Amino acid sequence: MPQKRSAPSPMAAPLFMLTAALLFTLMSTLIKLMPDTYTVFHIGFIRCFGGVIVLILCFSKGKNPYAGHNIPLLIFRGCTGSTAFVLLVTALRSLPLSTATVLFYCHPVFTAAFGLLIYREGINLFQTVCIAGLLAGVAVLFDFSFTGSTAGQTIAIASAAFVGLTFTLIRSLRIHNGPVVIYLYFCTMGTLLTLPYVVFHPFLPATPMEWAMIAGIILSSLGAQLAMNQGFFYCKGFEGAAYMSSETVFTAIVGIVFLNDPVSWRFFAGALLIIGSGLALGFISSKAT
């Protein structure tokens, strides 16, 4: 049965999404610090197979963990999400960080487009302005310029498109399914996608630090995905995508605090645009409901 929406707090969606963005930042930082011997498919396998193991051990409770509503759509969402992840990591490794980040964070535009095409979820002028302000903030924050190969740029945009579709599908699936089963299908499809490569290119962590980083990737991605899936219970797809863009601010803070990145006017101007646009979008959306 669908879960009943009992007048949730207007802060529910941003709190879940900001928590998810913070945990995704931790996951991305750990992935960035992994040795170069770990390929895109190794990282994808670690995240997804580890997620399958943890979810089944912690949440199955003797029942079929794959029991859910609309299994074909759960499988399809798992395919789009895992494809988006592999494309994103590929783009990050083939493009300058600023180019890959800004192109990827066009995903609120794709989310809004898919919401309109699939569910007839329109956006008004003020919401459009908020999304534009958010994208401008990401571009300022990362000193955007079109650099890198055309293939890499295409991969980054494709990743954003798959994320937009994934966010839109989560919005629908979350009505009848809990966040755990949605993520379980994502992890299962991601495991199947990356397994053939890992079979022919096996790996084994060489140090305790690598084991700790792998555990961190699995747990941070699990917490982030569950929080995000729950957040979509309280907001539309494009709203959730906009809130998730706060990850760019958290990423910049990590670079400044832990990686000795310089603090410039771009950080403050970009962060102000991103946070301000997100808050304005949340305020406008709450008044419209």
Side-chain angles (χ1 to χ4, degrees), residues 200-211:
F200 290 102
H201 302 84
F203 68 96
L204 184 66
T207 65
M209 179 59 70
E210 286 184 25
W211 280 107

Side-chain angles (χ1 to χ4, degrees), residues 207-275:
T207 65
M209 179 59 70
E210 286 184 25
W211 280 107
M213 293 170 69
I214 287 172
I217 290 171
I218 294 170
L219 295 177
S220 60
S221 63
L222 185 146
Q225 196 77 46
L226 294 184
M228 185 185 74
N229 290 349
Q230 182 65 20
F232 276 115
F233 190 60
Y234 303 110
C235 64
K236 295 180 180 179
F238 75 88
E239 294 168 358
Y243 292 134
M244 288 299 298
S245 298
S246 61
E247 183 183 347
T248 57
V249 179
F250 295 139
T251 299
I253 292 173
V254 168
I256 292 170
V257 175
F258 297 103
L259 303 178
N260 297 317
D261 289 349
V263 181
S264 69
W265 67 269
R266 291 186 176 278
F267 170 75
F268 295 102
L272 182 62
L273 276 169
I274 293 168
I275 296 172

Side-chain angles (χ1 to χ4, degrees), residues 9-287:
S9 165
M11 292 302 297
L15 283 176
F16 276 114
M17 292 303 183
L18 290 175
T19 299
L22 183 60
L23 290 171
F24 273 129
T25 300
L26 174 58
M27 180 195 74
S28 300
T29 302
L30 291 172
I31 289 174
K32 189 176 182 64
L33 295 175
M34 288 290 285
D36 292 337
T37 52
Y38 289 84
T39 68
V40 172
F41 291 99
H42 288 133
I43 292 172
F45 180 80
I46 287 169
R47 177 188 178 185
C48 294
F49 183 66
V52 169
I53 298 300
V54 173
L55 289 172
I56 290 178
L57 288 177
C58 295
F59 296 102
S60 63
K61 298 180 181 179
K63 300 179 181 179
N64 177 13
Y66 289 94
H69 181 270
N70 199 340
I71 301 300
L73 189 59
L74 283 166
I75 293 174
F76 183 62
R77 175 264 178 265
C79 292
T80 61
S82 54
T83 301
F85 179 72
V86 170
L87 290 174
L88 173 60
V89 177
T90 303
L92 288 172
R93 291 198 166 188
S94 61
L95 291 174
L97 178 62
S98 62
T99 303
T101 300
V102 174
L103 291 177
F104 173 72
Y105 277 99
C106 290
H107 64 66
V109 176
F110 288 103
T111 307
F114 282 118
L116 177 62
L117 290 172
I118 299 175
Y119 302 119
R120 304 301 181 191
E121 291 182 345
I123 62 174
N124 59 38
L125 176 61
F126 293 104
Q127 291 168 328
T128 302
V129 170
C130 289
I131 292 176
L134 187 149
L135 296 178
V138 175
V140 170
L141 182 65
F142 287 92
D143 192 12
F144 174 68
S145 61
F146 262 118
T147 55
S149 67
T150 302
Q153 294 169 8
T154 302
I155 291 171
I157 294 173
S159 175
F162 273 101
V163 167
L165 178 57
T166 299
F167 284 174
T168 305
L169 296 177
I170 292 175
R171 167 68 174 170
S172 177
L173 286 169
R174 188 59 190 89
I175 297 173
H176 298 275
N177 296 280
V180 172
V181 70
I182 296 174
Y183 187 48
L184 179 59
Y185 273 90
F186 165 85
C187 290
T188 301
M189 301 315 298
T191 299
L192 295 176
L193 174 66
T194 56
L195 182 60
Y197 182 90
V198 173
V199 168
F200 290 102
H201 302 84
F203 68 96
L204 184 66
T207 65
M209 179 59 70
E210 286 184 25
W211 280 107
M213 293 170 69
I214 287 172
I217 290 171
I218 294 170
L219 295 177
S220 60
S221 63
L222 185 146
Q225 196 77 46
L226 294 184
M228 185 185 74
N229 290 349
Q230 182 65 20
F232 276 115
F233 190 60
Y234 303 110
C235 64
K236 295 180 180 179
F238 75 88
E239 294 168 358
Y243 292 134
M244 288 299 298
S245 298
S246 61
E247 183 183 347
T248 57
V249 179
F250 295 139
T251 299
I253 292 173
V254 168
I256 292 170
V257 175
F258 297 103
L259 303 178
N260 297 317
D261 289 349
V263 181
S264 69
W265 67 269
R266 291 186 176 278
F267 170 75
F268 295 102
L272 182 62
L273 276 169
I274 293 168
I275 296 172
S277 298
L279 290 174
L281 180 65
F283 177 78
I284 293 169
S285 300
S286 66
K287 291 297 182 182

